[in-house]
Amino acid sequence: MSVLVVLEQHGGKWNRMAFEAAAAGKMIAESLGVPLQAVVLGSAIDGLANDAARYEFRKVFATDNPLLARYTPDGYTAALEQLIRAHQPRLIVFPHSYQVRDYAPKLSTRFRKAFISDVVGVKTENDQAVFVRQLFQGKLSADVRANGNPQFASVQAGAFRAMEPGDGQAQIERFAVKLDSAQIRSQPEEPFREAQRSVDLTAADVIVSVGRGIKEKDNLPVVEALAGVLGAELAASRPICDNGWLPMERQVGSSGQTVSPRIYFAIGISGAIQHLVGMKGSKTVVAINKDENAPIFETADYGAVGDLFEIVPALVEEIKKSKA
Amino acid sequence: MKIIVSVKQVPVRDSLLRINGEGTWLDESDLSYEMNEPDAYALEEALQLKEKLGGEVVVICAGPQRVSQTIREALAKGADRAIHVQAEDLGPRDALTTAALLAAVLKAELPDMILTGLQSDDLGYGQTGVILAELLGYAHATIVMEVEPQGNTIRVKRELEDGWFQNVILPLPAVLTVQSGIKKLRYATLMGIKKAKTKEVKTVSASDLVPDTAPSALMERIYLPAHAKHTQILSGDPKDVARQLVEKLRFEARVL
Ligand SMILES: Cc1cc2nc3c(=O)[nH]c(=O)nc-3n(C[C@H](O)[C@H](O)[C@H](O)COP(=O)(O)OP(=O)(O)OC[C@H]3O[C@@H](n4cnc5c(N)ncnc54)[C@H](O)[C@@H]3O)c2cc1C
């Protein structure tokens, strides 16, 4: 009855969230008093398994199969199903990555169990894990308890500090899976990036970023004026780009650019996790939002609660004055 | 091409969210609702596929009486017919429980494709499409940005992390979870709204369905997140806030 962490890798490199999930798994395993194990899936993964063995796992399962060379939901689900049935962990912990979103609900459904996705915290009560997840993109929290085993949970990016490698010498156990190419229905092609972006926000010193609070495309001059007086790059949350109000290449977040300017102004942006992961490396964050409970205020250094259509023009005037 | 679109009705964005007396779910009494935005994009993609290839778009939505408004909206935009899975208590349920109800209805429909948004704006599970695929035995792909039908297969462009993408070929039938922004959303026309009134809405009661699963997770308590609050909140009239902010940025953070 272990806690099993699925260590995600792409092309022989760890997903940086893999060891955040490991840290969450370790915390739970310790409070439940059960061993912590990990699994690596792929093809020709000896190097990765050896690397994983340096961390504080009791055991690392190496599931090596040519049909796992490229990720497919069918291949990963079948392989992990076999491992879970054979070794019966009580909890399987994943990073809440795009890949995990793609197969973990399928895997948990195979066991007719709920998948507790995007967890930001864990408590243990009466020898049971209680998972904390966010609702309404971070506006509310919920405590969720699973009943029966196995349990399945994924961990939000940044919610746990990644486990560091130690001088641990975890035992590596090869776990052979039976896979048949006919089982694998999807044919993934090589991953690719779009053509070079003409806007590089990653080098920007000051960024003025606008969200759905701007309401209409015609209101963009309000924030453009601020960007102008600051000599800042204009950026946006996803819905602004989805609507075509600003080009996609100005999007900040998990599916846009990751930026770390000296100042980041988040204007009319609520602060969903997919936006936060793209900008929380900024040195100073200023949030302007009319909702005092907007999650962005948790990430901001300075927050102005109020109507952006009043505050931003006033800010432009103040900055002009201070420069005069 | 027969396409099912699974849509959810969620509280209107920026609603004032109040927790019920027991702390177990929202106080729904004065909430307004709308179609979950990613599902609106799934509907748009389905309608455009139908316009290109012909066929039928069927909308399915689970929830209490109020969801009929969202169903009407989907029909007004161009869906051909709808299925309303009537259930009162789905609000805080786990994704498997709700998806199992949908699957119990959909297994008789034999669609070529099922489209749904990649996640809901309320619970944010991001699982319904993938669970449907597993329960119905279909192939699937998530976070889809483009759909290209190719006879008995489809080629889809999936969004990966950090600006990467990947094309994947899937056999039909398949389930796709659609990313926001896949196409430009249409508005319902007056004509569409009129026509919607004559379209078929089949009602199925959840209590008549026998899903092959039992709830395995319980949302015990919901609450406002604890504030870590290292944030300095500035308040006052806008001019005053702007003045304070510039001062802080110049002399405290020294970034201006
Ligand atoms: C797989 C995936 C990938 C994603 N990738 C990204 C990504 O890369 N980048 C990204 O940004 N999002 C991404 N998202 C979407 C993300 O989850 C959020 O939906 C999005 O960030 C919300 O954008 P927003 O804050 O502008 O809008 P909302 O959440 O609608 O927030 C608008 C805010 O404006 C405030 N407001 C309204 N009017 C005013 C006013 N007059 N004055 C002041 N404030 C006002 C409101 O209080 C609210 O807080 C992704 C989602 C998924 C599922």
Side-chain angles (χ1 to χ4, degrees), chain A residues 102 143 145 194 262 297 302, chain B residues 142 157 220 231 252 255:
Chain A
D102 195 58
D143 287 352
R145 194 191 296 263
E194 301 287 19
R262 205 155 44 85
F297 286 127
Y302 301 100
Chain B
T142 53
K157 177 177 164 191
E220 292 185 329
T231 311
E252 194 176 275
V255 285

Side-chain angles (χ1 to χ4, degrees), chain A residues 81-311:
Chain A
E81 181 189 1
Q82 291 171 36
L83 179 72
I84 294 166
R85 294 211 190 277
H87 289 276
Q88 315 230 333
R90 72 185 264 182
L91 169 67
I92 301 96
V93 182
F94 308 82
H96 193 64
S97 62
Y98 285 25
Q99 183 176 95
V100 164
R101 296 171 69 108
D102 195 58
Y103 75 87
K106 180 177 177 68
L107 177 66
S108 63
T109 298
R110 211 157 270 191
F111 290 85
R112 295 299 183 265
K113 292 292 182 199
F115 168 46
I116 303 175
S117 50
D118 211 10
V119 163
V120 296
V122 189
K123 319 172 228 189
T124 43
E125 277 172 19
N126 308 327
D127 204 31
Q128 271 207 326
V130 177
F131 301 94
V132 183
R133 58 186 308 282
Q134 297 175 323
L135 310 180
F136 294 92
Q137 308 207 319
K139 290 189 200 92
L140 295 177
S141 296
D143 287 352
V144 183
R145 194 191 296 263
N147 53 48
N149 292 334
Q151 303 183 354
F152 298 83
S154 64
V155 175
Q156 185 171 93
F160 289 81
R161 187 188 298 263
M163 183 189 267
E164 296 289 339
D167 47 11
Q169 272 303 319
Q171 178 200 348
I172 297 175
E173 181 174 322
R174 283 173 203 289
F175 182 79
V177 288
K178 287 195 202 66
L179 295 178
D180 176 353
S181 58
Q183 265 175 296
I184 294 174
R185 293 169 292 182
S186 54
Q187 298 167 46
E189 300 173 14
E190 245 354 284
F192 63 94
R193 275 174 183 273
E194 301 287 19
Q196 264 302 301
R197 301 188 257 238
S198 57
V199 184
D200 184 10
L201 297 177
T202 61
D205 188 41
V206 182
I207 291 179
V208 169
S209 194
V210 57
R212 184 142 41 191
I214 197 73
K215 299 217 164 55
E216 291 174 27
K217 183 174 188 194
D218 290 347
N219 294 333
L220 281 176
V222 174
V223 286
E224 281 163 354
L226 180 61
V229 49
L230 288 166
E233 283 285 358
L234 199 59
S237 66
R238 178 165 193 124
I240 301 300
C241 304
D242 283 346
N243 286 332
W245 298 351
L246 283 174
M248 281 292 175
E249 54 196 13
R250 295 204 177 262
Q251 181 177 314
V252 167
S254 64
S255 47
Q257 303 204 37
T258 302
V259 300
S260 48
R262 205 155 44 85
I263 325 181
Y264 187 91
F265 288 86
I267 301 177
I269 292 178
S270 62
I273 180 65
Q274 293 88 1
H275 188 80
L276 298 182
V277 295
M279 48 65 74
K280 63 185 180 193
S282 307
K283 182 158 183 276
T284 301
V285 175
V286 179
I288 302 174
N289 197 302
K290 67 173 186 192
D291 174 7
E292 59 175 340
N293 287 321
I296 189 71
F297 286 127
E298 280 299 296
T299 303
D301 300 284
Y302 301 100
V305 180
D307 186 348
L308 74 89
F309 296 106
E310 293 177 359
I311 294 175

Side-chain angles (χ1 to χ4, degrees), chain A residues 8 10 15-17 70-71 73-74 77 96-99 101-103 105-106 108-110 112-118 123 125 130 132-148 185-194 197 206 212 230 238-239 242-243 248 254-256 258 262-263 265 274 283-284 286 288 290 292-293 296-305 310-311 314-315 318-319 322-323, chain B residues 10-11 13-15 17 19 25-26 37 41 94-96 118-127 130-131 133-135 137-143 145-146 153 155 157-171 179-184 212-236 238-239 241-243 245-246 248-250 252-256:
Chain A
E8 182 171 321
H10 295 264
N15 178 318
R16 58 174 182 267
M17 287 163 66
R70 275 211 195 151
Y71 163 77
D74 288 333
T77 301
H96 193 64
S97 62
Y98 285 25
Q99 183 176 95
R101 296 171 69 108
D102 195 58
Y103 75 87
K106 180 177 177 68
S108 63
T109 298
R110 211 157 270 191
R112 295 299 183 265
K113 292 292 182 199
F115 168 46
I116 303 175
S117 50
D118 211 10
K123 319 172 228 189
E125 277 172 19
V130 177
V132 183
R133 58 186 308 282
Q134 297 175 323
L135 310 180
F136 294 92
Q137 308 207 319
K139 290 189 200 92
L140 295 177
S141 296
D143 287 352
V144 183
R145 194 191 296 263
N147 53 48
R185 293 169 292 182
S186 54
Q187 298 167 46
E189 300 173 14
E190 245 354 284
F192 63 94
R193 275 174 183 273
E194 301 287 19
R197 301 188 257 238
V206 182
R212 184 142 41 191
L230 288 166
R238 178 165 193 124
D242 283 346
N243 286 332
M248 281 292 175
S254 64
S255 47
T258 302
R262 205 155 44 85
I263 325 181
F265 288 86
Q274 293 88 1
K283 182 158 183 276
T284 301
V286 179
I288 302 174
K290 67 173 186 192
E292 59 175 340
N293 287 321
I296 189 71
F297 286 127
E298 280 299 296
T299 303
D301 300 284
Y302 301 100
V305 180
E310 293 177 359
I311 294 175
L315 191 55
E318 274 305 317
I319 294 168
S322 79
K323 284 189 167 168
Chain B
V10 298
R13 196 185 332 282
D14 296 348
S15 293
L17 301 172
I19 297 167
W25 185 232
L26 298 176
E37 185 173 65
Y41 281 104
D94 63 80
L96 177 57
L118 83 173
Q119 68 180 38
S120 64
D121 288 336
D122 55 356
L123 300 184
Y125 289 134
Q127 301 180 29
V130 180
I131 297 173
E134 173 66 13
L135 292 175
Y138 296 176
H140 79 265
T142 53
I143 321 190
M145 296 288 290
E146 269 171 39
T153 62
R155 186 164 180 258
K157 177 177 164 191
R158 295 190 57 220
E159 183 179 302
L160 307 181
E161 275 140 0
D162 294 328
W164 289 86
F165 297 91
Q166 181 175 40
N167 290 312
V168 179
I169 295 172
L170 298 171
Q179 172 66 297
S180 292
I182 188 168
K183 293 271 161 63
K184 201 169 165 356
D212 79 346
T213 175
S216 58
L218 178 68
M219 207 184 298
E220 292 185 329
R221 192 168 79 85
I222 72 171
Y223 49 95
L224 280 174
H227 290 297
K229 277 280 188 272
H230 49 78
T231 311
Q232 291 193 43
I233 297 289
L234 310 174
S235 50
K239 276 211 177 65
V241 167
R243 195 187 41 72
L245 188 56
V246 169
K248 298 267 182 201
L249 292 175
R250 288 185 78 185
E252 194 176 275
R254 294 171 188 276
V255 285
L256 262 194

